[in-house]
Amino acid sequence: MIIAVDGPAASGKGTLAKRLAAHYGLFHLDTGRTYRAVAAAMTAAGFSLDDEAAAVKTAHGLDFTRLDSPDLGSPEIGEGASRIAVIPDLRAALVARQRAFAKDAAAQGHGAVLDGRDIGTVVFPDATVKLFITASPAERARRRSLEVYGEADGPRYEALLANLRQRDERDSSRAASPLKPAADAYILDTTQMSADAAFFEATRLVDKAMKP
Ligand code: C5P
């Protein structure tokens, strides 16, 4: 069983994916973290984020057991991840590793929840169920600002909002696997929804999809 959870930055898809994994006993992979980890490792090693060969090499050597580092969550690394995510060969390398993650889970008798931008369209086009989580840019920036800075408005909120809009634009307009809902995805707009309400609605959709 594969649950694909896609959506724009700070839409709440990561929190939702984690809860779904715990609820259904599935492995979870936040694929955004794979792009973030490559961007962070390249920066640490002094590579330019435009260096395509270095990006691919870094992706092949990435340690998937170390994706939990809190440092990877910063808006700066998110921006770097979005920049390298336009490189087709890098995407191919990471997609192969994301599929291998799910294959490993299956070998251990588990399904998987993967969240990202292209899970339902490219990584697992035959996923058991596909959810596309979205919310207005202002609401997403408000949530992210509360999470990172503990405040819902002010200059840092404004900067986050500008950054989110820029990332949305880059993620949606790139040629390689742009951010878009799969034709058969359920769209969940959580602008007016609590995290609990979004989780409840998602489990309803997953339960429906699992019925024979
Ligand atoms: O989801 P998160 O904000 O951590 O993702 C960081 C960046 O990684 C995104 O802005 C996007 O450019 C890229 N990404 C992607 N495909 C995925 C997951 C993330 O292109 N499946």
Side-chain angles (χ1 to χ4, degrees):
M1 166 162 162
I2 300 282
I3 303 180
V5 183
D6 289 304
S11 57
K13 62 187 184 312
T15 308
L16 177 66
K18 235 179 249 159
R19 282 182 76 174
L20 288 173
H23 183 75
Y24 292 104
L26 307 169
F27 284 17
H28 169 231
L29 179 64
D30 174 348
T31 62
R33 290 217 151 222
T34 66
Y35 290 87
R36 285 172 179 266
V38 170
M42 286 177 71
T43 306
F47 290 117
S48 152
L49 293 178
D50 301 322
D51 186 335
E52 302 196 359
V56 173
K57 196 163 173 227
T58 307
H60 284 303
L62 200 61
D63 182 353
F64 268 42
T65 63
R66 300 184 66 181
L67 296 175
D68 280 345
S69 162
D71 298 347
L72 294 182
S74 78
E76 293 75 22
I77 292 182
E79 174 65 16
S82 163
R83 281 183 53 198
I84 57 161
V86 302
I87 303 172
D89 287 351
L90 166 72
R91 300 199 67 86
L94 285 181
V95 166
R97 298 209 52 196
Q98 292 158 9
R99 289 182 181 143
F101 172 89
K103 206 169 162 193
D104 275 359
Q108 294 175 59
H110 289 273
V113 183
L114 287 88
D115 70 273
R117 302 289 187 292
D118 59 345
I119 310 303
T121 51
V122 174
V123 185
F124 284 108
D126 297 328
T128 320
V129 57
K130 301 177 185 179
L131 306 173
F132 190 89
I133 314 302
T134 187
S136 70
E139 177 58 17
R140 288 187 280 126
R142 193 187 71 82
R143 291 178 192 162
R144 186 53 59 90
S145 181
L146 272 174
E147 178 191 328
V148 180
Y149 305 123
E151 58 194 31
D153 51 24
R156 292 193 290 194
Y157 158 83
E158 295 295 341
L160 266 177
L161 178 58
N163 177 268
L164 277 188
R165 287 191 197 279
Q166 200 182 2
R167 272 217 277 155
D168 282 358
E169 169 59 23
R170 192 183 293 131
D171 289 348
S172 309
S173 62
R174 69 179 173 225
S177 311
L179 167 68
K180 65 165 191 224
D184 51 351
Y186 293 106
I187 313 250
L188 217 59
D189 186 331
T190 68
T191 307
Q192 314 269 4
M193 256 185 203
S194 68
D196 284 348
F199 174 67
F200 182 77
E201 180 58 10
T203 53
R204 196 184 65 76
L205 294 168
V206 173
D207 290 345
K208 196 169 103 182
M210 286 194 314
K211 274 206 188 114

